[in-house]
């Protein structure tokens, strides 16, 4: 493969395995996201790719060139790999100015690269900060400097470790777009680690989902979202409604409807996940169909509003519905726009089947 | 394998194969512990023992005096140090900004110099009593009562004035670091400023106060000049007495071992303080400190409370010495002042360079190989700072004498050459003593600066194409440079002031500024040695400047803020 590839990586600290037979590719010129909760081993994979961690088992290669092979005891030191890494804490050198930080990696500073550094600083709106020291910069500015520093030596691969986690929400969105623009412009092969699924969806050409040391699924963002490989991936994008049921006639019955269970034999225990955005609500008794759901499906479920909260662009609604044994169960629904019915109001709930995922209950 | 990787449990690499760091650190620790081991070893060796004699005669007196001295100095420094620190940090009153750094000034003057000056002022023939006699018409000692400065009380007063800055320094840093939020929480829960101080701020600062107190007690145990001059029978004075007057090395070693028990208690106190401090940060938010404004009488009292220690601990001694130096400088010069200055400068500079080099090696070893062995080794090598100079001196003399005798005997039997004493009685042993005693100072300073280079900075340098040596050269050394210099200055100045070890270890008829001043002052010739004393004070000003600069920048959240948005509003 052209680009960075990690094959069969297994890694342990003090006998505790943190990465288990993980294989991952970052295709040339694309942005790949390694997505997973904290402690899942994704930063370790990144450090192995950079050469800061000596690989124990498995292989790291850039194009045809093998950089590290644990079983062969081959290890190209980090400074000879041509792989840039941007750290979560930015790790700017406190004793160097902004400009000196950015040009740190230029061994024989070509005038062209110095010029590039100046222009890049100017475009980041930081032309006046070239001689400033890192501690005088804001978090967003430090992030920009760290990114430019990693890009300056023109690495063949750029690794980003949670690059936006230090920034507050609004700044994060802005810096994210700037970063994406800069990366697309330079066309550098990028592997980014994040725990934020929305960030991964926004940035990535490819996403690899990691949990407990294993790569669970890799694919395009749409694929990850609409065809999750298992429960973990399906639940990755936020709170979900979970139901348990038994497969009968190729279908599972849940309090919000009956869904196809492809590939599951009759009689098997199934685990059904319905994303909150997959529940569509229509106020009962309203004249005609509701605005966002012109044609309510026939198998709609009656439910009662427990509470409704406006989040801004959408509303989060808690619903009470009749469970399998007659007890009330609580459903979570995510409705676009303002939807704030009175507590106790009756609604009918229908389901967008693209947001329903049925898995065997292991 | 790189500098960073090992911290993350990376596997074998170039450094690990030749593990010079671990070996070197352990060797240094062993070497640094020889003096302490030697003292204990000799004390436990049965032989010509004066222990029974000591125990039945002077030991109870030494214990009682030492405990009283520690209690008095401890209490005095706590009240003055923490009190003034609270005032300048939390309140606003005239002169506060000056007192912030001026309160550190008494650190520049060694306790023994303070003792000489006050004796000169307050003894029967001194100017104060003369003035009293003149104005009240008294003629003899029997006509009035005046406190005797050469007493335990006098020693407590002198040492309190000289050592309170340790408590001031640490409690001020602690107060500055305290999150304002916890104080505000206390206020919103219905406590006034005073109750907040006693129920929240002081308990939070307690670990820092304990560390400051333990440093004060270490200095108190270390002091020789004051107790010798005042003839106060403490352990240190006793060790000198037994060794030099009773001519019993093993007796001195036995006393020193008992003194080490006191030291152990103080070290334990300090360790507890340091452990506690880590857990006393409850919030990471920092806001401007309140600055309770004081008015009228309260403001005047606050100013006076801060002024008194500065005047008594610095202005008076420095002023008296300065005046004497103007009138008597010729006497000092005549007494070979320049040679003594050269001796002091040479010894201190050599010791500073060696100490800093060894400290840097240890700090780097600890970073690269932070295993339990290395950690224990660095701990052990750092014990010297807590051990009184007199004890260390005995511990240095014994092994060097043994080494000299062994070398002499071996060479004599093999080649028939008698080498005599090679090391004993040479300046070389003084330097060994200085290095052992002040190693912790340089190690601690450099280690703190190395911790500013985070593991990801190492990683960043490596991924940007810098190899391990280039990372050391381009990142670590520049970041450490300032601290290495600071460590060198601190060690240098402490060596300039050092008295007890120098007195014991110096070659015959060899003087440093400190021993010269001590000898002259003991012979009632303070004026004639005032220029030398003033030189010691002048060098002592250096660390005061360094410390007051560091402390101003110490407040988290304001670290190095370019606009000078410092610690205080």
């Amino acid at each position: 493969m052209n680009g960075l590839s990690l094959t069969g990586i297994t890694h342990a600290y003090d006998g505790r395995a943190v990465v288990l037979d993980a294989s991952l590719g970052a295709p040339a010129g694309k942005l790949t996201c390694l997505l997973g909760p904290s402690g899942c081993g994704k930063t370790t994979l990144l450090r192995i790719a950079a050469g800061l961690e000596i690989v124990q088992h498995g292989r790291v290669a850039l194009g045809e060139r093998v950089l590290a092979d644990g079983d062969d005891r081959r290890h190209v030191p980090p400074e000879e790999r041509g792989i840039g890494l941007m750290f979560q804490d930015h790790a700017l050198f406190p004793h160097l100015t902004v400009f000196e930080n950015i040009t740190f990696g230029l061994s024989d500073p070509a005038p062209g690269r110095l010029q590039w550094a100046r222009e890049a600083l100017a475009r980041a709106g930081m032309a006046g900060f070239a001689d400033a020291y890192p501690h005088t910069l804001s978090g967003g500015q430090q992030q920009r400097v760290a990114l430019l520093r990693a890009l300056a030596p023109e690495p063949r691969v750029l690794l980003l470790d949670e690059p936006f986690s230090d920034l507050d929400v609004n700044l994060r969105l802005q810096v994210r777009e700037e970063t994406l623009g800069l990366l697309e412009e330079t066309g550098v092969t990028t592997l980014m680690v994040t725990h934020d699924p929305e960030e991964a969806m926004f940035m990535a050409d490819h996403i690899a989902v990691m949990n407990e040391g294993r790569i669970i699924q890799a694919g395009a963002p749409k694929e990850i979202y609409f065809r999750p490989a298992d429960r973990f991936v399906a639940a990755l994008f936020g709170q979900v409604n979970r139901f348990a049921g038994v497969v009968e006639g190729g279908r599972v019955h849940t309090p919000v409807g009956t869904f196809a269970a492809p590939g599951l034999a009759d009689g098997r225990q199934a685990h059904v996940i319905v994303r909150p955005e997959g529940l569509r609500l229509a106020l009962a008794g309203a004249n005609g169909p509701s605005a966002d759901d012109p044609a309510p499906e026939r198998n709609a479920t009656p439910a009662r509003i427990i509470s409704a909260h406006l989040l801004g662009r959408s509303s989060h609604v808690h619903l009470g519905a009749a469970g399998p044994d007659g007890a009330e169960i609580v459903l979570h629904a995510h409705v676009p726009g303002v939807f704030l019915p009175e507590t106790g109001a009756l609604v009918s709930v229908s389901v967008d089947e693209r947001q329903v995922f049925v898995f065997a209950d292991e | 394998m790189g500098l960073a990787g090992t911290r993350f449990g990376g596997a074998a690499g170039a450094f690990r194969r030749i593990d010079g760091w671990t070996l070197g650190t352990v060797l240094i620790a062993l070497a640094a512990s020889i003096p302490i081991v030697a003292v204990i070893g000799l004390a436990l060796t049965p032989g010509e023992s004066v222990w029974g004699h000591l125990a039945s005669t002077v030991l109870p007196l030494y214990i009682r005096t030492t405990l009283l001295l520690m209690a008095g100095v401890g209490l005095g420094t706590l009240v003055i140090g923490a009190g003034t620190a609270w005032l300048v940090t939390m309140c606003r009153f005239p002169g506060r900004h000056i007192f912030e750094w001026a309160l550190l000034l008494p650190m520049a003057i060694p306790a023994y110099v303070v003792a000489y000056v006050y004796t000169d002022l307050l003894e029967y023939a001194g100017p104060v009593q003369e003035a009293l006699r003149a104005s009240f018409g008294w003629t003899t000692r029997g006509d009035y009562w005046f406190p005797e400065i050469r007493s335990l009380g006098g020693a407590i007063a002198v040492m309190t004035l000289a050592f309170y800055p340790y408590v001031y320094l640490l409690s001020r840093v602690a107060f500055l670091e305290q999150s304002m939020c916890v104080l505000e929480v206390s206020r919103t829960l219905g406590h006034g400023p005073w109750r907040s101080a006693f129920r929240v701020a002081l308990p939070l600062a307690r670990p820092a106060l304990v560390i400051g107190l333990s440093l004060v007690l270490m200095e108190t145990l270390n002091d020789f000049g004051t107790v010798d001059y005042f003839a106060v029978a403490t352990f240190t004075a006793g060790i000198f007495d037994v060794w030099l007057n009773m001519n019993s090395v093993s007796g001195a070693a036995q006393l020193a071992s008992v003194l080490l028990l006191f030291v152990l208690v103080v070290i334990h106190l300090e360790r507890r303080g340091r452990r506690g401090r880590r857990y006393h940060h409850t919030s990471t938010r920092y806001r401007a400190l309140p600055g309770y404004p004081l008015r009228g009488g309260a403001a005047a009292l606050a100013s006076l409370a801060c002024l008194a220690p500065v005047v008594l601990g610095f202005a008076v001694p420095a002023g008296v010495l300065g005046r004497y130096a103007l009138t008597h400088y010729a006497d000092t010069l005549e007494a070979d002042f320049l040679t003594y200055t050269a001796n002091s400068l040479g010894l201190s500079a050599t010791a500073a360079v060696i100490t800093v080099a060894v400290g840097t090696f240890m700090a780097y070893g600890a970073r690269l190989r932070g295993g339990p062995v290395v950690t224990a080794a660095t701990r052990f090598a750092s014990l010297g700072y807590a051990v009184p100079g007199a004890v260390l001196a005995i511990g240095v003399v014994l092994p060097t004498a043994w080494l000299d005798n062994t070398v002499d005997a071996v060479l004599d039997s093999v080649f028939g050459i008698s080498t005599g004493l090679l090391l004993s009685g040479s300046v070389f042993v003084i330097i060994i003593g200085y290095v052992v005693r002040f190693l912790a100072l340089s190690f601690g300073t450099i280690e703190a600066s190395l911790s500013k280079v985070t593991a990801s900075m190492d990683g960043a340098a490596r991924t940007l194409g810098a190899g391990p040596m280039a990372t050391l050269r381009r990142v670590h050394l520049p970041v450490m440079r300032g601290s290495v210099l600071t460590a060198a200055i601190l060690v240098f100045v402490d060596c300039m002031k050092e008295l007890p070890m120098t007195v014991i270890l110096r070659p015959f008829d060899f003087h440093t500024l400190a021993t010269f001043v001590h000898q002259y002052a003991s012979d009632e010739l303070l004026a004639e040695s005032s220029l030398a004393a003033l030189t010691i004070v002048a060098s002592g000003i250096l660390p005061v400047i360094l410390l007051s600069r560091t402390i101003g920048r110490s407040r988290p959240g304001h670290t190095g803020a370019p606009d000078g948005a410092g610690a205080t509003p």
Side-chain angles (χ1 to χ4, degrees), chain B residues 39-382:
Chain B
V39 167
I40 299 173
L42 184 71
L44 295 179
T45 310
E48 51 104 24
S49 179
V50 290
W51 182 246
H53 174 67
L54 288 176
S56 62
T57 52
V58 286
L59 191 65
L61 176 67
Y62 290 158
I63 292 181
R64 199 173 64 95
T65 318
T66 305
L67 285 178
L68 281 175
L69 183 68
M70 287 168 77
V73 176
L75 190 68
T77 51
L78 267 187
V79 170
I80 296 182
T84 52
W86 177 263
L87 284 174
V88 299
T89 312
M90 297 293 182
C91 304
R92 286 186 223 173
F93 55 90
R96 186 180 63 110
H97 286 293
I98 297 170
F99 289 129
E100 274 176 13
W101 57 266
L103 278 163
L104 287 171
L105 283 174
M107 254 186 157
I109 309 190
Y112 54 83
V113 173
V114 179
Y116 308 151
V117 169
Y118 276 104
T119 308
D120 192 67
L121 286 178
L122 298 178
E123 65 188 352
Y124 182 73
V128 172
Q129 292 201 43
E130 252 173 37
L132 285 175
R133 284 195 294 271
S135 40
F136 292 99
W138 299 324
T139 48
T140 63
R141 243 177 243 276
D143 291 345
Y144 62 99
W145 177 85
F146 194 81
E148 172 56 55
I149 175 75
R150 291 181 135 165
S151 63
L152 180 61
I156 289 174
V158 161
M159 290 192 202
T160 299
L161 282 177
F163 300 149
Y164 83 85
Y166 289 104
V167 177
Y168 167 78
L169 192 67
L170 280 149
S171 46
R172 175 156 156 73
V173 170
F175 291 146
L176 281 173
E177 281 178 353
Q178 268 173 21
S179 162
M180 203 46 232
C181 296
V182 295
L183 284 183
E184 283 172 349
V185 165
S186 167
R187 299 293 296 276
T188 59
L189 291 174
H191 293 332
W194 280 102
R195 281 188 75 192
S196 298
F198 278 97
R199 292 201 47 188
V200 178
L202 272 182
L204 275 178
R206 192 167 51 204
L209 291 178
V210 169
I211 299 171
L213 181 66
S214 55
L215 292 178
V216 165
L217 295 180
M218 286 173 195
E219 287 293 334
T220 307
L221 290 175
N222 177 52
D223 176 87
F224 161 68
T226 311
V227 293
D228 180 56
Y229 192 61
F230 283 180
V232 176
T234 62
F235 263 104
T236 313
I239 291 171
F240 277 82
D241 188 48
V242 169
W243 190 357
L244 301 177
N245 299 335
M246 295 170 66
N247 225 344
S248 165
V249 183
S250 59
Q254 281 154 353
L255 276 186
S257 301
V258 180
L259 181 51
L260 278 177
L261 293 179
F262 284 72
V263 172
L264 277 182
V265 173
V266 177
I267 291 178
H268 176 70
L269 203 65
E270 191 209 6
R271 288 272 147 83
R272 266 185 46 183
R274 293 206 192 273
R275 268 204 305 276
R277 195 147 85 150
R278 264 184 269 153
Y279 303 110
H280 276 242
H281 284 271
T282 51
S283 164
T284 51
R285 299 176 70 88
Y286 294 94
R287 294 255 316 279
L289 293 161
Y292 306 120
L294 301 180
R295 290 186 211 300
L301 270 181
S303 297
L304 195 66
C306 292
L307 187 65
V310 180
V311 168
L312 293 176
F314 183 78
V316 169
V320 168
L321 289 176
R323 222 196 49 201
Y324 277 145
L326 282 179
T327 52
H328 289 75
Y329 69 92
D331 295 314
T332 313
L333 287 176
E334 208 169 295
D336 223 359
F337 166 72
L338 292 179
T339 309
Y340 305 149
T341 309
N343 288 346
S344 275
L345 290 177
L347 279 180
S348 305
T350 313
V353 169
I354 297 175
T355 311
V356 165
V358 174
T360 309
F361 182 89
M362 273 175 32
Y364 224 80
R367 180 186 176 91
L368 290 174
R369 293 274 161 276
V373 176
V374 173
T375 309
T378 54
R379 275 274 177 81
F380 214 68
S382 308

